[in-house]
Amino acid sequence: MYGMGILKGLGVTFKHFIRTYLDDIKYAGRKYLRQENFEARQGLKADGAFTVMYPEEKIAVPERFRFVPFLVVEDPDHPERPGEDWCTSCGICAKVCPPQCIWIVRGEDPVTKRPVPQPEAFFIDIDICMNCGYCAEFCPFDAIKMDHDYELASYDRTRNHIHDKERLSKPFSYWMSIAPTTAREEAAARGGWEHPDVIKEFKKSNRTPTPVTEDWQQAKMNAAAFVEAQKAAAQAAAAAPPAAETAPTVQSAPPAAESTPSGELSPEERKRRREEALARKKAKQEKAAE
Amino acid sequence: MTEEMTLVPERADTLPIEGAIDYLKRKFPDAVKDDTRQGYSGIIVDPAHLVEVARTACDELGFNYLSSATAVDYLGIDDSMEMVYHAYRISGGGALVFKAQTDRNKPEIPSLIEVYPGADFQEREAYDLYGIHFPGHPNLKRILLWDGFDGHPMRKDWKEAYYEQETKPFDSRWPKGYVRRAEELNVFGKNVKYPADLDLAKLSDMSEEALYSGMGLGVDVSSFPAQADELQTDRLVVNLGPHHPSTHGVFRMVVTLEGETIVALEPVMGYLHRNHEKIGERNAWNHNMPFTDRLDYISSMSNNLGYALAVEKLLAMGARYQPPTYRAEVIRVLMVELTRIVNHYWAIGFLLNDLGAFFTPALYAIAEREKILDFFEATAGSRMMCNYMRFQGVAKDLPERIRSVASHVNDKVRDFNTMDYLTELINERIPRSVDELDRYLTDSEIIKERTIGVGYLSPDMAIAYSTSGPLLRASGVPYDVRRAEPYSIYPELDFDVCVRHNGDIYDRYLIRLDEMRESIRILKQILPRLEKTQGESVFAGNKAIYMPRVPIGEAYGRVENPKGELGYYLVSQGDPKGPQNPWRYHVRAPSFINLTPLGAMCRGQKVADVVAILGSIDIVLGETDR
Ligand code: SF4
Ligand code: SF4
């Protein structure tokens, strides 16, 4: 019969209309309030009208979400390198950036004029940034990451849209808070929670990087323990008679620290030291084998 | 050897490519020679005989589908300009590549529009961007740029207003990257140049005659008022757009009407032109990947795939190339088929908008699309600008969980298992919503009356005009690159090439539903493959290289995009010392070429149907204008 098709179609519209209200009733007015309802509405169970009422309500962004990048710096309470840059100003991100919106002034030693692995200045023109994520993907030091904060609108384009190093820098703990899975994967690839260069240094001085099997905060605790140990070693060295029988103070602190009374050591510290000793032994054996 | 000689098929239109080339060389011994440059293929044809050779290729050898025609400027290499044609057989198989070279200072190549009407817009584009003249073209005018534009921007010696350096990466960014804005160096107002022969007064003349007489409408605008007969059915020129609400972006059509009937239609485009290809040639190979997202911004995943395939063809000529792993291929197909569904939701929704069902159907369709975009976002990091494919693989494996973390932006979170999410999406949610769309729209008498028999495109015309995708297949031509020249893992997947035979708007709507169902069928075969390859690498080789070196040569990579055949023609002239950039980066955009028959399809139709016909082609201006 002519018109049946239209009626059938209107049936669909009507069903949608009804379902929207049924959905409201189902959640008994708490459709927009509860966490569980949020997950249902923003998942595959969503039914009726599932419009997201921005800005009261927002789409939950997944971990890999990409928005204008930020620079990872060490936490301010990091005992060894508080606030230090992860970026080594190698320039790879500036080269790989498709619209060329990253500007880096490489750090320079004021005396020797030789480059130092730290950016003097770092700018990202966020008007030009296309949020492609290449900089984060190709940075060999995991020092630049994509942010989740997309509410960057401002009234002054010229002043606010070129982010400088201060604006870009965010602590490692922030990165951990927005993308724990990714951060863990990357740390596993580095071989520890610490910065890749720090891990390299550790290897030289026989310190063990904090393994990724442990919580990431452990890295800070280990560093704190290390600083403590160094302090103790310095005290011991000062207290000890300046006679020649003490071993000549070598560059690495841990061996000197061993002269402190071992009863005062915390379990973590002891564990760390044992691991270090083992690593040292292994390294020596390897050297001997060579 | 002798045996092979006797086995020569009697029909020339089934000869393999080499055989076809031999045939042409025998028939035109002086005009056709092999392209022997390193990494190149096909033949070079003497421009004087180009039309005859093309006609032979089309009529006798069966290469009747001109996929791409584009120009290359070899300034500094052999100082010539070249037109490159890729012709295919509509029955499937590889391309016959033929080229015609011309002097850079006086570039002129005969138009192939008589053999391949689909060369129309492509030759106009080459004229616009390279300044090559095509004697024989009936309407050789600029197509993407306006008349007041100085020069031909794709020429190698043309420099843009904010020119900084020949190729990226720019030296000013590192190690002495003191930031500045481009406009600080080049104050607006000082970078606008007009061609010497431009009559500025003519541009500000607002009379009908001045506005429309240059448009190639095939009618004499000035004579209209005088033609009035007793019935007063004056011819009238009506301007639709730019910015017409129904035209899917900033697009303009100038139609000549007699009463309500369309006599002629002239599409005017280029309002969104940003010289994508020039940017692409300044870019390094990797840089282009996120730019391809911005072509057809509804289906960025498949744009990525086309580019990755084209570059992989070039890389395969080198020694260090490793083809993508099986899991990478599985994920690629997963992504592009989801993209096809996304695109067709969109296309159907907006076709209904164009028919006057304002936004209710569109919103139903878009709401379902959101669920797929959520998955894209969790995997690639972005809903629309995915930038997900890499040469030799994909950027990252699927996440284990689609999970969000509470932050200062949003305190509510969600957390799903990715495979469960995908399984439910593919097995339940998408099929349900496609069926619902079908129930909702297919039988509606209003839709049928508005669309059946409207905007007819015959199969012969569809092929001749080089149309592709649903537009071609709804005209009864079962041509699908996934089957005609298979790539990725399509050969092992079980699916049908959809085809409908009436060639009108209604069939173009139906074929999109069919294709969504076929995509669901493919996706259902992908799910077990995903399970099986869990944990395998998604990238061949160690890690994506940030400045890959690409061997010298040319490559044409094409994929069946939701809107039609998307092709990338790439030329690498690898400079072994510095970072490498494409010498030529051309995008064969389906939205652009599918517009070629728009005028023909609209002739004789009512003006109210124009917008619906345009909607049924399904264009996106990011790709049309590039
Ligand atoms: S790639 Fe990483 S380390 Fe190198 S300059 Fe960029 S942010 Fe710094
Ligand atoms: S996200 Fe892309 S565009 Fe933005 S700064 Fe990084 S590399 Fe450049």
Side-chain angles (χ1 to χ4, degrees):
Chain A
M1 195 189 80
Y2 192 84
M4 278 311 283
I6 298 176
L7 284 180
K8 212 163 89 182
L10 283 175
V12 173
T13 319
F14 190 65
K15 212 172 95 199
H16 270 266
F17 176 78
I18 295 288
R19 280 212 310 249
T20 300
Y21 288 98
L22 281 183
D23 210 48
D24 277 349
I25 294 167
K26 193 169 95 195
Y27 292 115
R30 296 226 191 75
K31 192 172 172 178
Y32 297 97
L33 294 176
R34 288 243 192 103
Q35 166 63 46
E36 312 89 82
N37 301 347
F38 178 85
E39 194 172 83
R41 273 187 322 105
Q42 291 205 3
L44 291 177
K45 301 279 177 280
D47 200 10
F50 44 91
T51 317
V52 179
M53 311 276 186
Y54 186 85
E56 279 72 32
E57 191 197 17
K58 290 162 186 169
I59 288 189
V61 293
E63 275 190 36
R64 291 186 187 173
F65 177 69
R66 310 190 300 251
F67 207 66
V68 176
F70 67 93
L71 288 173
V72 177
V73 300
E74 216 68 80
D75 284 3
D77 62 346
H78 193 284
E80 269 184 272
R81 342 183 316 129
E84 265 184 51
D85 300 306
W86 276 51
C87 172
T88 63
S89 70
C90 71
I92 286 180
C93 56
K95 287 179 199 151
V96 83
C97 172
Q100 298 281 291
C101 68
I102 301 183
W103 303 71
I104 304 169
V105 182
R106 184 171 61 194
E108 216 170 55
D109 190 298
V111 187
T112 60
K113 299 283 174 223
R114 289 243 287 282
V116 294
Q118 211 173 33
E120 201 171 292
F122 201 112
F123 306 95
I124 293 181
D125 191 332
I126 65 160
D127 286 336
I128 295 173
C129 173
M130 63 205 288
N131 306 326
C132 68
Y134 268 174
C135 47
E137 192 176 323
F138 290 102
C139 172
F141 299 95
D142 295 329
I144 188 163
K145 291 291 154 212
M146 300 307 283
D147 208 343
H148 287 189
D149 182 5
Y150 49 84
E151 294 177 330
L152 294 179
S154 84
Y155 286 107
D156 188 347
R157 180 173 86 88
T158 47
R159 216 170 315 148
N160 298 338
H161 286 190
I162 293 183
H163 286 186
D164 59 5
K165 196 171 146 208
E166 198 190 334
R167 171 92 201 246
L168 287 168
S169 297
K170 293 190 178 178
F172 186 77
S173 50
Y174 174 75
W175 171 233
M176 272 313 290
S177 76
I178 62 170
T181 323
T182 316
R184 185 171 280 274
E185 282 165 11
E186 286 166 358
R190 288 198 298 272
W193 279 112
E194 287 85 0
H195 183 278
D197 276 355
V198 174
I199 292 180
K200 236 187 253 164
E201 282 300 309
F202 278 18
K203 294 228 167 95
K204 270 189 223 149
S205 61
N206 288 332
R207 246 178 96 185
T208 9
T210 313
V212 185
T213 43
E214 289 186 48
D215 181 65
W216 67 279
Q217 292 284 6
Q218 188 65 39
K220 256 194 271 182
M221 275 152 57
N222 289 349
F226 179 73
V227 171
E228 281 303 308
Q230 264 188 326
K231 263 192 215 149
Q235 266 172 13
E245 73 259 25
T246 43
T249 36
V250 217
Q251 74 303 2
S252 68
E258 260 158 26
S259 62
T260 52
S262 57
E264 288 160 31
L265 290 177
S266 65
E268 289 99 347
E269 177 63 356
R270 233 180 278 141
K271 188 168 155 232
R272 188 184 64 77
R273 289 197 186 177
R274 218 187 62 229
E275 274 166 8
E276 275 180 6
L278 284 176
R280 269 202 302 277
K281 211 169 129 195
K282 213 172 133 212
K284 241 187 236 157
Q285 276 169 353
E286 271 167 14
K287 221 175 182 182
E290 272 175 38
Chain B
M1 191 67 202
T2 45
E3 247 178 45
E4 268 177 33
M5 298 291 273
T6 54
L7 282 176
V8 168
E10 67 253 63
R11 289 185 50 196
D13 61 353
T14 53
L15 283 170
I17 310 281
E18 301 78 46
I21 289 178
D22 277 342
Y23 185 95
L24 286 174
K25 277 198 285 201
R26 253 181 286 132
K27 188 161 176 187
F28 304 97
D30 303 328
V32 174
K33 60 182 200 306
D34 280 322
D35 190 349
T36 51
R37 289 171 290 183
Q38 186 194 343
Y40 283 64
S41 61
I43 47 174
I44 298 180
V45 181
D46 177 8
H49 298 275
L50 181 67
V51 179
E52 297 157 55
V53 173
R55 195 174 293 288
T56 310
C58 177
D59 295 346
E60 291 175 35
L61 294 169
F63 290 94
N64 53 354
Y65 181 73
L66 180 75
S67 164
S68 149
T70 188
V72 190
D73 180 5
Y74 283 105
L75 173 67
I77 292 175
D78 64 1
D79 286 333
S80 69
M81 286 228 233
E82 188 172 292
M83 277 298 286
V84 185
Y85 304 88
H86 285 76
Y88 290 86
R89 287 185 176 123
I90 208 73
S91 51
L96 176 72
V97 188
F98 56 100
K99 295 159 195 160
Q101 291 174 331
T102 176
D103 178 15
R104 228 183 143 264
N105 298 319
K106 200 176 166 297
E108 204 174 87
I109 287 174
S111 170
L112 287 189
I113 198 164
E114 273 178 33
V115 186
Y116 298 113
D120 182 354
F121 283 11
Q122 307 194 58
E123 282 177 354
R124 276 178 70 186
E125 184 187 320
Y127 165 72
D128 192 355
L129 304 181
Y130 282 91
I132 299 180
H133 287 266
F134 293 92
H137 193 294
N139 188 22
L140 196 65
K141 293 186 285 87
R142 290 196 167 233
I143 186 163
L144 295 172
L145 301 166
W146 71 306
D147 293 329
F149 192 90
D150 189 29
H152 302 286
M154 284 304 293
R155 289 187 174 213
K156 284 285 172 189
D157 50 3
W158 187 92
K159 292 185 170 58
E160 62 271 28
Y162 294 111
Y163 174 79
E164 181 164 350
Q165 201 174 310
E166 205 55 49
T167 52
K168 290 175 187 174
F170 296 148
D171 295 335
S172 61
R173 303 303 196 263
W174 180 87
K176 295 248 173 292
Y178 294 102
V179 71
R180 55 167 168 67
R181 288 172 177 279
E183 61 260 41
E184 283 162 17
L185 291 188
N186 202 337
V187 187
F188 179 69
K190 288 192 182 159
N191 56 12
V192 181
K193 272 187 279 171
Y194 298 111
D197 57 348
L198 181 75
D199 182 4
L200 280 173
K202 193 170 157 265
L203 287 178
S204 51
D205 184 353
M206 285 297 140
S207 70
E208 288 246 313
E209 201 177 328
L211 279 179
Y212 299 119
S213 56
M215 308 225 60
L217 290 169
V219 280
D220 181 7
V221 188
S222 58
S223 67
F224 293 164
Q227 265 182 1
D229 54 15
E230 299 115 301
L231 280 171
Q232 293 290 314
T233 56
D234 292 356
R235 285 201 170 183
L236 193 66
V237 179
V238 176
N239 184 52
L240 298 175
H243 244 301
H244 190 276
S246 288
T247 51
H248 301 238
V250 193
F251 183 67
R252 176 178 166 208
M253 292 174 284
V254 180
V255 292
T256 311
L257 299 174
E258 200 168 77
E260 258 195 271
T261 310
I262 293 163
V263 180
L265 179 145
E266 172 90 3
V268 184
M269 57 195 103
Y271 296 94
L272 211 58
H273 181 64
R274 54 223 186 260
N275 218 339
H276 183 88
E277 293 178 6
K278 187 82 175 182
I279 298 173
E281 287 170 18
R282 297 246 186 271
N283 279 348
W285 294 97
N286 244 343
H287 288 155
N288 276 333
M289 190 61 81
F291 279 92
T292 64
D293 291 341
R294 276 92 177 152
L295 286 167
D296 172 0
Y297 39 78
I298 313 289
S299 29
S300 63
M301 285 281 190
S302 11
N303 300 345
N304 283 184
L305 179 61
Y307 182 60
L309 287 180
V311 176
E312 280 166 9
K313 274 192 188 174
L314 280 174
L315 287 172
M317 297 181 202
R320 268 195 249 119
Y321 172 69
Q322 285 167 287
T325 59
Y326 187 70
R327 184 168 173 82
E329 295 284 14
V330 171
I331 294 179
R332 283 176 171 190
V333 173
L334 168 79
M335 293 306 187
V336 298
E337 291 306 321
L338 283 173
T339 301
R340 195 177 315 280
I341 293 175
V342 162
N343 181 79
H344 287 353
Y345 273 139
W346 190 271
I348 292 177
F350 279 82
L351 171 64
L352 265 290
N353 249 16
D354 294 344
L355 286 170
F358 206 61
F359 266 110
T360 304
L363 280 181
Y364 291 171
I366 293 169
E368 295 305 323
R369 165 179 173 264
E370 281 299 293
K371 299 298 164 204
I372 301 178
L373 297 195
D374 280 346
F375 168 67
F376 284 173
E377 190 179 31
T379 309
S382 185
R383 305 176 82 76
M384 289 175 76
M385 303 295 126
C386 299
N387 184 23
Y388 184 58
M389 313 277 174
R390 297 286 178 272
F391 317 137
Q392 308 185 21
V394 298
K396 262 187 148 193
D397 204 345
L398 306 185
E400 209 169 301
R401 301 192 72 82
I402 298 179
R403 170 166 49 199
S404 59
V405 186
S407 70
H408 64 289
V409 185
N410 189 7
D411 61 343
K412 293 220 174 60
V413 296
R414 54 183 168 177
D415 184 6
F416 312 107
N417 179 296
T418 309
M419 282 313 289
D420 293 348
Y421 186 92
L422 267 183
T423 312
E424 190 177 337
L425 189 70
I426 292 167
N427 286 332
E428 285 160 45
R429 189 134 191 156
I430 300 174
R432 196 168 63 219
S433 70
V434 173
D435 289 346
E436 192 187 71
L437 271 183
D438 192 1
R439 246 197 342 274
Y440 184 30
L441 305 169
T442 308
D443 289 337
S444 168
E445 283 80 4
I446 303 179
I447 291 174
K448 283 184 169 170
E449 303 235 333
R450 286 290 312 273
T451 58
I452 290 180
V454 177
Y456 176 67
L457 184 67
S458 71
D460 292 343
M461 257 164 67
I463 298 169
Y465 278 116
S466 301
T467 63
S468 55
L471 180 63
L472 178 65
R473 289 190 288 271
S475 286
V477 185
Y479 189 78
D480 187 320
V481 183
R482 290 175 295 173
R483 282 288 188 240
E485 204 190 3
Y487 51 93
S488 197
I489 57 166
Y490 282 110
E492 64 173 75
L493 296 170
D494 183 22
F495 69 98
D496 294 327
V497 174
C498 305
V499 63
R500 293 263 170 182
H501 297 277
N502 294 328
D504 55 7
I505 302 180
Y506 191 60
D507 271 18
R508 278 173 224 141
Y509 153 74
L510 287 176
I511 201 160
R512 293 205 164 90
L513 281 183
D514 297 345
E515 287 191 5
M516 286 165 99
R517 295 201 164 111
E518 286 304 319
S519 290
I520 295 170
R521 206 169 133 196
I522 295 175
L523 288 169
K524 284 186 178 162
Q525 300 167 51
I526 288 292
L527 282 176
R529 285 176 167 79
L530 272 181
E531 297 277 4
K532 216 165 53 203
T533 56
Q534 199 108 47
E536 287 174 20
S537 168
V538 294
F539 188 81
N542 293 328
K543 207 170 172 268
I545 310 162
Y546 77 93
M547 281 293 160
R549 301 228 178 285
V550 175
I552 293 178
E554 60 164 8
Y556 184 62
R558 54 183 200 145
V559 287
E560 187 65 37
N561 239 33
K563 293 188 170 63
E565 177 186 326
L566 174 72
Y568 291 90
Y569 177 71
L570 304 173
V571 174
S572 169
Q573 288 293 339
D575 157 21
K577 282 174 269 123
Q580 293 195 331
N581 309 72
W583 181 265
R584 177 76 176 109
Y585 164 81
H586 171 68
V587 183
R588 186 252 188 235
S591 296
F592 177 64
I593 295 169
N594 282 354
L595 281 173
T596 320
L598 181 67
M601 274 154 70
C602 290
R603 205 164 297 129
Q605 305 285 337
K606 295 275 184 284
V607 66
D609 293 328
V610 171
V611 171
I613 294 172
L614 184 69
S616 75
I617 301 179
D618 183 21
I619 58 164
V620 61
L621 271 295
E623 185 179 71
T624 307
D625 292 346
R626 279 158 295 140

